[in-house]
Amino acid sequence: MADPAECTIKVMCRFRPLNNAEVERGDQYIPKFQGEENVVIAGKPYVFDRVFQSNTTQEQVYNACAQKIVKDVLEGYNGTIFAYGQTSSGKTHTMEGNLHDPDGMGIIPRIVQDIFNYIYSMDENLEFHIKVSYFEIYLDKIRDLLDVSKTNLSVHEDKNRVPYVKGCTERFVCSPEEVMDTIDEGKSNRHVAVTNMNEHSSRSHSIFLINVKQENTQTEQKLSGKLYLVDLAGSEKVSKTGAEGAVLDEAKNINKSLSALGNVISALAESSAYVPYRDSKMTRILQDSLGGNCRTTIVICCSPSSYNEAETKSTLMFGQRAKTIKNTVCVNVELTAEQWKKKYEREKEKNKTLRNTITWLENELNRWRNGETVPADEQYDKEKASEALAVVDQAGGEKIASTPNLPAGGRLTDVEKEKCEAELAKLYKQMDDKDDEINQQSQLAEKLKQQMLEQEELLASSRRDHESLQVELSRLQQENDASKEEVKEVLQALEELAVNYDQKSQEVEDKSREFDTLSEELSQKASVLASLDTELQKLKEMTNHQRKRVTEMMSSLLKDLAEIGVTVGSNDVKQPEGSGVIDEEFTVARLFISKLKSEVKTLVKRKKELESSQSESTKKMDENEKELAACQLRISQHEAKIKSLTEYLQNVEQKKRQLEENVDSLNEELVKISAQEKVHAMEKENEIQTANEVKEAVEKQIHSHREAHQKQISSLRDELDTKEKLITELQDLNQKIMLEQERLRVEHEKLKSTDQEKSRKLHELTVMQDRREQARQDLKGLEETVAKELQTLHNLRKLFVQDLATRVKKSAEMDSDDTGGSAAQKQKISFLENNLEQLTKVHKQLVRDNADLRCELPKLEKRLRATAERVKALETALKEAKENAARDRKRYQTEVDRIKEAVRAKNMARRGHSAQIAKPIRPGQPPVASPTHPGVVRPGGGIFQNNQPMGIRGGGVKQDKNSS
């Protein structure tokens, strides 16, 4: 890239005329224009690069806003034009207008025409590749307008950290007509709605991207430029637009993204350290256009109506903030190898001069530091050094600028030109034939794809039918299996009832055995608990005994200490030997007291722990007793319920028997009535004798039938009673067994918990015993060291007392009258004794600290070892991770190379359908119909697919720039 340069964003302001609704409402025309750069609203002036009044034509707007950006894009710069304003302020009219009306078309179609006019008028050694993309941001999702299946595209960054839309459709074009067809296709897919303020309100932000790449075939220099043409959706006030439902959701997202754009503009205008580009996908895409490498023009569209005065002021304030933003633009150029080499040499020379300057300055600084005076002619001259650097830069620029743009060869003759033209015509004809074949093949492929889609739909429908049938069949099979299982269950239920009694009896025996074992374990645990209680009592007695002993010893020691204090107070220094013996006894007594204190502390701790464990066990026993009482209460309640239910069943059974007897009596009466009817019938037929006989026979038959029936009923009732009694007994037994089982289970759980608690306490006691033994051993070693240190201290003290006694004797032999000197000596002696006592205390404290440090040393060593092992483990893990990463990177690189080779081979095999064909538009070729507009001719003489890159040669047919 070339050296960057700063430029401000250009802001143009355009006011539309009053529409019919505003005129009917009687709104006032509020803007007042003062020149071409100033507009006054409500007495406040607003200054912009250009202000367009309501009668400004589309061509005037284009010439002032966008004409220069076309030239910049073809020179290798990036450009952006976007319209901002409230809804129904004329943004879409400014950017698009009437696409196919020469007078009413907006900025986008005029830019398209102008780009190709510039290309046709440029040097014929330049070859251009133009590709376009068209997408919208709808509900904060990027939607491809050229492929509606891509509904949620993402924004990524390239190697230069420039944002781009990944996966967006890019179409290569070679004529203005193809670009216009692409715009028409995308415009038909854009979201539009009707509101109270606009009949064709844009519901999304549309972005039309034109990417132009050019290459000089002689110098091999490549330039690239991108042009963003953005039509933003307007900010809306819901009370004015009357948006509801989905339109209201669209308005919310539009206002949210526009507020994010306003935040970005404010941050850039205030030179803030953080710019919130990532708050919206629109600001993320336009990141390079706002404060980056791009020449940006903003067209703010305003309403002149007094009804929209607040929105108009807000739009004008937005434009004023945006006018303060500065972009850093530079040419997007790809240098050739020769240019890179020259640039490297220039930078190398520049670096060499700077190194010489640094050495000069260092030598001068050293001379000044050493106290020397540097004369003026030997001092560093900044102006000369800057002139030398400018000479180096100028020489490098001249070298790059002197790169030849034309070939060194001579001109061609007329004959050679004719031959070349004939060959070119043949080649173009062949290329056109190939293009026709490609079109036919593509149409055939589309037909085949359509047929395949139809077949796939048929196949999918048949698969769905098959799946539904399979589901129905599986459902029927499941129902059949379920019915079979129900029959099996009914058959098995009778068998289970027979087997259940045996199982329950066996379970009762097992539970009784378990109960016996648990009772034995409970007795054992009770004996262990009793032993622990006795041990606790013994420990309590021992502690009490130790306390008594300690108190007695402390009292005796205090008496001894009082006597020692009396003797020391008398300052009897003439018996050093007795004082030494007292000191020895005193140190021994002190050691014994420290021993007793440590033992007493341990015993007190042990006692507290045992008391706490005993209290916990008593609490648990109380809780278990409460639970047992609750369980017994529940059992008694259940037994009462069972008794009431059995009584109710007996009453029901008695009622059932009474009803059965009533039924039997009614049956007998029915038989009698039928017999009487027969008798009456026989009497009517004058067969009285036979009737009497029949009557007797019938009575006998009824009597016998009744007796047999009563016997059978009585036997069945007896059998039923026995069965019911057996069932109730079994049920009662079963319920008792279950209750007993539940009770045994609860007792088993309790015993288990108590056993675990006892084992835990036993383990704690053993651990405490081990710690106590370890403490005793450590205390023994400490006592030995303390005894040695005290012995040495005692010897020193003895020597000191002897020396002191000799000095006192010498002083006593001196003049007895000198009483002041003896008093001073006594003061010195008392001072030295105090110092000696303090030294002994310090020594004992040091010994204790040393012992504590020795105890802490193994712990620290263990921690150090653990940290060293952890560090080693982390080092090995890091080494393995690095090796795995290197392996993965190598595997990924090989996979990428393999995919590249496969894609290259596939492209070589399918050359006709690839996106690598460049067909240049050359000057002097006959015009051929465009693939999209058959009646429109274009230079180049070929018909192409839109997905093929077209290389466009400069120097073609010149067209009028103002024809757009």
Side-chain angles (χ1 to χ4, degrees):
M1 288 187 178
D3 295 332
E6 283 191 354
C7 68
T8 57
I9 291 178
K10 290 186 177 180
V11 181
M12 312 288 182
C13 179
R14 185 181 189 184
F15 284 87
R16 64 166 174 80
L18 291 172
N19 56 29
N20 295 330
E22 292 169 347
V23 172
E24 290 173 1
R25 197 165 49 226
D27 296 344
Q28 294 181 358
Y29 191 86
I30 57 174
K32 296 178 182 180
F33 302 97
Q34 296 179 357
E36 293 185 349
E37 298 179 352
N38 198 352
V39 62
V40 179
I41 302 289
K44 183 178 180 181
Y46 298 92
V47 181
F48 301 102
D49 293 301
R50 183 71 182 271
V51 177
F52 300 107
Q53 299 184 20
S54 301
N55 57 358
T56 308
T57 62
Q58 295 279 66
E59 186 175 357
Q60 290 173 346
V61 173
Y62 171 74
N63 290 335
C65 294
Q67 195 171 27
K68 190 176 182 304
I69 286 185
V70 174
K71 188 177 179 182
D72 292 337
V73 170
L74 293 175
E75 288 177 355
Y77 292 97
N78 296 331
T80 300
I81 302 173
F82 68 86
Y84 177 87
Q86 74 171 120
T87 185
S88 76
S89 61
K91 299 182 298 301
T92 305
H93 177 73
T94 301
M95 294 302 296
E96 296 179 1
N98 190 349
L99 294 176
H100 303 289
D101 182 10
D103 295 328
M105 63 175 58
I107 290 174
I108 294 176
R110 292 178 188 274
I111 276 183
V112 171
Q113 294 286 346
D114 232 3
I115 284 174
F116 284 93
N117 290 338
Y118 270 110
I119 289 173
Y120 293 140
S121 64
M122 294 177 77
D123 187 6
E124 63 179 3
N125 293 319
L126 296 176
E127 183 175 295
F128 290 84
H129 294 268
I130 302 174
K131 57 184 178 181
V132 295
S133 301
Y134 201 9
F135 50 90
E136 69 174 357
I137 302 172
Y138 177 69
L139 298 177
D140 206 26
K141 291 182 180 179
I142 301 173
R143 182 171 171 268
D144 195 345
L145 294 175
L146 303 179
D147 186 359
V148 293
S149 62
K150 300 176 181 178
T151 57
N152 191 7
L153 301 174
S154 58
V155 182
H156 291 253
E157 288 184 350
D158 60 11
K159 60 182 179 180
N160 296 322
R161 300 190 66 81
V162 177
Y164 71 97
V165 179
K166 186 177 181 181
C168 184
T169 302
E170 294 182 337
R171 290 193 180 175
F172 288 87
V173 293
C174 62
S175 69
E177 291 77 21
E178 292 183 4
V179 181
M180 295 306 296
D181 288 344
T182 304
I183 293 172
D184 288 334
E185 181 185 350
K187 192 173 173 62
S188 64
N189 295 324
R190 192 178 175 190
H191 285 82
V192 180
V194 179
T195 64
N196 293 341
M197 296 185 68
N198 194 353
E199 292 182 357
H200 301 282
S201 176
S202 301
R203 313 311 297 164
S204 63
H205 311 295
S206 71
I207 299 174
F208 186 71
L209 173 61
I210 303 174
N211 197 336
V212 181
K213 291 184 179 180
Q214 57 176 297
E215 181 179 359
N216 194 323
T217 56
Q218 287 188 344
T219 62
E220 297 182 357
Q221 189 171 12
K222 297 179 182 178
L223 298 176
S224 63
K226 289 187 292 185
L227 179 59
Y228 289 92
L229 302 172
V230 186
D231 179 19
L232 298 177
S235 59
E236 298 185 9
K237 187 176 282 188
V238 179
S239 60
K240 292 184 178 181
T241 59
E244 294 178 351
V247 180
L248 180 60
D249 293 335
E250 293 168 353
K252 290 177 183 176
N253 281 280
I254 289 168
N255 291 335
K256 182 181 176 183
S257 60
L258 290 175
S259 64
L261 176 62
N263 293 334
V264 169
I265 295 291
S266 299
L268 291 170
E270 295 169 1
S271 300
S272 177
Y274 170 70
V275 182
Y277 288 114
R278 294 179 181 270
D279 288 356
S280 171
K281 289 188 177 179
M282 181 186 66
T283 54
R284 185 83 175 103
I285 294 170
L286 298 178
Q287 180 176 348
D288 214 28
S289 305
L290 302 171
N293 176 23
C294 192
R295 295 188 188 275
T296 304
T297 299
I298 301 176
V299 182
I300 56 172
C301 300
C302 304
S303 169
S305 172
S306 58
Y307 180 68
N308 299 319
E309 183 178 356
E311 289 84 351
T312 301
K313 288 181 179 179
S314 175
T315 304
L316 293 172
M317 290 297 295
F318 174 86
Q320 282 193 333
R321 286 197 302 272
K323 198 173 183 306
T324 60
I325 298 173
K326 291 185 179 181
N327 288 354
T328 305
V329 296
C330 57
V331 179
N332 303 314
V333 60
E334 294 182 16
L335 299 178
T336 60
E338 189 66 26
Q339 289 173 343
W340 278 114
K341 189 175 180 181
K342 290 176 181 177
K343 189 174 182 180
Y344 171 72
E345 293 294 335
R346 188 171 75 250
E347 293 294 331
K348 194 174 179 181
E349 290 293 330
K350 192 174 178 181
N351 191 12
K352 188 176 180 181
T353 55
L354 290 172
R355 284 180 183 277
N356 292 332
T357 303
I358 290 167
T359 54
W360 187 295
L361 290 170
E362 285 178 351
N363 292 330
E364 185 177 343
L365 181 63
N366 291 328
R367 289 176 67 183
W368 282 110
R369 283 177 176 172
N370 292 330
E372 299 179 10
T373 56
V374 182
D377 55 351
E378 295 182 7
Q379 290 181 6
Y380 175 71
D381 192 355
K382 189 176 181 181
E383 295 180 356
K384 289 182 180 180
S386 60
E387 287 177 1
L389 285 173
V391 167
V392 171
D393 291 338
Q394 187 176 1
E398 289 175 355
K399 287 180 182 178
I400 292 177
S402 64
T403 305
N405 291 324
L406 295 172
R411 295 180 177 272
L412 296 174
T413 61
D414 294 335
V415 177
E416 290 175 348
K417 281 184 179 180
E418 290 176 359
K419 288 182 180 179
C420 289
E421 288 175 358
E423 289 292 331
L424 284 172
K426 287 181 182 179
L427 290 172
Y428 279 123
K429 190 176 180 181
Q430 290 177 4
M431 292 176 73
D432 293 337
D433 295 337
K434 293 292 183 184
D435 289 336
D436 294 335
E437 289 179 6
I438 289 166
N439 286 328
Q440 292 175 2
Q441 293 294 330
S442 62
Q443 291 174 2
L444 182 61
E446 290 294 330
K447 288 180 182 178
L448 291 172
K449 283 182 181 178
Q450 192 66 28
Q451 291 177 2
M452 285 178 67
L453 289 173
E454 292 175 357
Q455 294 295 327
E456 286 178 355
E457 288 178 358
L458 289 172
L459 184 62
S461 63
S462 61
R463 281 179 181 171
R464 286 195 291 272
D465 296 337
H466 179 68
E467 287 175 357
S468 62
L469 291 172
Q470 287 288 338
V471 169
E472 187 68 22
L473 182 61
S474 62
R475 186 179 63 78
L476 292 172
Q477 286 179 354
Q478 287 175 359
E479 289 179 356
N480 190 13
D481 294 337
S483 61
K484 287 181 180 179
E485 287 177 358
E486 286 179 358
V487 172
K488 287 181 181 178
E489 288 176 357
V490 170
L491 292 173
Q492 288 176 359
L494 298 172
E495 297 177 359
E496 288 178 356
L497 287 172
V499 175
N500 195 11
Y501 179 73
D502 297 332
Q503 290 179 352
K504 293 296 180 182
S505 60
Q506 188 67 31
E507 286 178 0
V508 168
E509 291 178 359
D510 295 336
K511 294 297 179 183
S512 61
R513 292 195 197 95
E514 288 181 2
F515 180 71
D516 294 335
T517 55
L518 288 172
S519 60
E520 291 176 359
E521 290 179 359
L522 183 63
S523 62
Q524 291 176 2
K525 297 296 181 181
S527 62
V528 173
L529 182 62
S531 64
L532 289 172
D533 288 334
T534 54
E535 187 178 356
L536 181 62
Q537 293 295 330
K538 289 179 181 179
L539 289 171
K540 285 182 180 179
E541 292 175 358
M542 288 172 66
T543 51
N544 292 326
H545 183 63
Q546 292 291 338
R547 282 180 184 173
K548 290 178 181 177
R549 285 181 62 193
V550 167
T551 52
E552 291 175 358
M553 291 178 70
M554 287 295 290
S555 60
S556 63
L557 286 171
L558 288 171
K559 290 178 182 178
D560 295 338
L561 285 171
E563 293 175 359
I564 290 166
V566 170
T567 55
V568 170
S570 62
N571 290 325
D572 190 4
V573 294
K574 295 181 180 180
Q575 296 176 358
E577 294 179 358
S579 64
V581 173
I582 290 167
D583 289 336
E584 287 178 359
E585 291 178 355
F586 184 70
T587 52
V588 171
R590 193 178 283 172
L591 287 172
F592 187 67
I593 289 166
S594 63
K595 269 189 194 179
L596 289 176
K597 280 184 180 179
S598 61
E599 289 180 357
V600 168
K601 284 180 182 177
T602 54
L603 290 172
V604 169
K605 286 181 183 177
R606 181 80 179 281
K607 179 191 170 189
K608 287 181 181 178
E609 289 174 357
L610 290 171
E611 286 177 352
S612 62
S613 63
Q614 187 178 6
S615 62
E616 289 176 359
S617 61
T618 53
K619 286 180 183 177
K620 287 183 180 178
M621 290 283 285
D622 295 335
E623 290 175 358
N624 292 330
E625 286 177 356
K626 289 179 182 178
E627 289 177 0
L628 184 60
C631 291
Q632 288 176 354
L633 181 61
R634 288 177 187 172
I635 288 166
S636 62
Q637 290 174 357
H638 287 301
E639 286 177 352
K641 284 183 182 179
I642 289 165
K643 285 181 181 178
S644 62
L645 289 172
T646 52
E647 290 175 357
Y648 177 72
L649 285 172
Q650 288 175 1
N651 294 328
V652 169
E653 188 63 31
Q654 288 177 1
K655 289 180 181 179
K656 182 180 176 183
R657 287 184 180 180
Q658 290 175 2
L659 291 171
E660 286 177 353
E661 290 175 355
N662 292 331
V663 168
D664 293 337
S665 62
L666 290 171
N667 287 328
E668 289 176 358
E669 289 178 0
L670 183 62
V671 172
K672 286 180 181 179
I673 290 166
S674 61
Q676 288 176 2
E677 287 178 355
K678 287 181 182 180
V679 168
H680 287 302
M682 288 178 179
E683 286 176 354
K684 286 180 182 179
E685 293 175 358
N686 297 322
E687 293 180 356
I688 298 169
Q689 293 178 357
T690 56
N692 291 325
E693 293 176 358
V694 169
K695 186 177 180 181
E696 291 175 358
V698 168
E699 286 178 353
K700 288 180 182 178
Q701 189 178 0
I702 288 168
H703 184 69
S704 63
H705 180 69
R706 185 187 301 163
E707 289 179 352
H709 185 65
Q710 286 180 353
K711 287 179 181 178
Q712 189 177 3
I713 287 170
S714 61
S715 64
L716 289 171
R717 283 176 179 171
D718 294 334
E719 189 176 357
L720 187 63
D721 291 337
T722 54
K723 293 291 184 184
E724 286 180 352
K725 287 179 181 178
L726 182 62
I727 288 168
T728 53
E729 288 176 358
L730 290 172
Q731 286 179 352
D732 294 337
L733 183 62
N734 189 12
Q735 194 167 6
K736 287 180 182 178
I737 289 167
M738 289 175 69
L739 291 171
E740 188 69 22
Q741 183 180 0
E742 185 67 23
R743 186 179 64 78
L744 291 171
R745 186 180 65 77
V746 171
E747 289 180 355
H748 180 64
E749 293 293 333
K750 289 178 182 178
L751 290 170
K752 274 187 178 178
S753 61
T754 53
D755 188 14
Q756 290 176 358
E757 187 68 23
K758 298 291 183 182
S759 60
R760 185 178 64 79
K761 289 180 180 179
L762 186 61
H763 180 68
E764 289 177 357
L765 289 171
T766 54
V767 170
M768 287 174 63
Q769 185 67 24
D770 295 337
R771 287 179 181 173
R772 188 175 175 185
E773 293 294 331
Q774 185 68 28
R776 283 179 181 174
Q777 292 178 2
D778 295 338
L779 188 62
K780 284 182 181 178
L782 183 62
E783 286 175 358
E784 291 176 358
T785 54
V786 169
K788 289 179 182 178
E789 295 293 333
L790 288 174
Q791 185 66 31
T792 55
L793 186 62
H794 177 66
N795 294 330
L796 290 172
R797 188 174 179 181
K798 191 183 286 186
L799 293 173
F800 178 73
V801 171
Q802 289 177 2
D803 189 14
L804 188 61
T806 53
R807 288 186 182 180
V808 168
K809 286 180 181 179
K810 288 179 182 178
S811 62
E813 291 174 357
M814 291 172 68
D815 192 9
S816 60
D817 296 331
D818 193 3
T819 57
S822 62
Q825 285 178 356
K826 287 180 180 179
Q827 288 179 359
K828 286 181 182 180
I829 290 166
S830 62
F831 176 71
L832 290 172
E833 286 180 350
N834 292 330
N835 286 339
L836 185 61
E837 289 178 358
Q838 290 177 1
L839 286 171
T840 54
K841 289 179 181 178
V842 170
H843 185 265
K844 289 177 182 177
Q845 185 64 36
L846 289 172
V847 170
R848 291 195 199 97
D849 294 341
N850 189 12
D852 293 337
L853 290 173
R854 284 180 181 175
C855 293
E856 290 291 329
L857 188 61
K859 294 180 182 178
L860 294 172
E861 288 179 352
K862 191 182 288 184
R863 286 182 187 173
L864 186 62
R865 266 189 251 108
T867 52
E869 291 174 357
R870 178 64 177 164
V871 167
K872 285 182 182 178
L874 289 172
E875 286 177 352
T876 54
L878 181 62
K879 191 175 180 182
E880 291 176 358
K882 285 182 178 178
E883 291 175 356
N884 292 330
R887 254 187 266 112
D888 293 340
R889 198 181 299 113
K890 190 174 180 182
R891 195 183 307 116
Y892 172 74
Q893 191 64 36
T894 54
E895 189 68 19
V896 168
D897 295 338
R898 186 183 65 77
I899 292 168
K900 283 182 180 177
E901 290 295 331
V903 170
R904 195 180 294 115
K906 192 174 181 182
N907 289 335
M908 292 298 290
R910 259 196 336 178
R911 203 174 189 83
H913 298 280
S914 68
Q916 303 296 325
I917 301 172
K919 184 168 185 179
I921 299 176
R922 300 182 185 276
Q925 296 301 322
V928 182
S930 171
T932 54
H933 288 69
V936 180
V937 297
R938 61 175 173 82
I943 300 175
F944 300 98
Q945 294 287 328
N946 259 353
N947 59 353
Q948 296 175 353
M950 310 298 179
I952 304 173
R953 291 278 187 177
V957 180
K958 285 191 177 181
Q959 299 179 7
D960 189 5
K961 294 180 183 177
N962 298 323
S963 63
S964 60

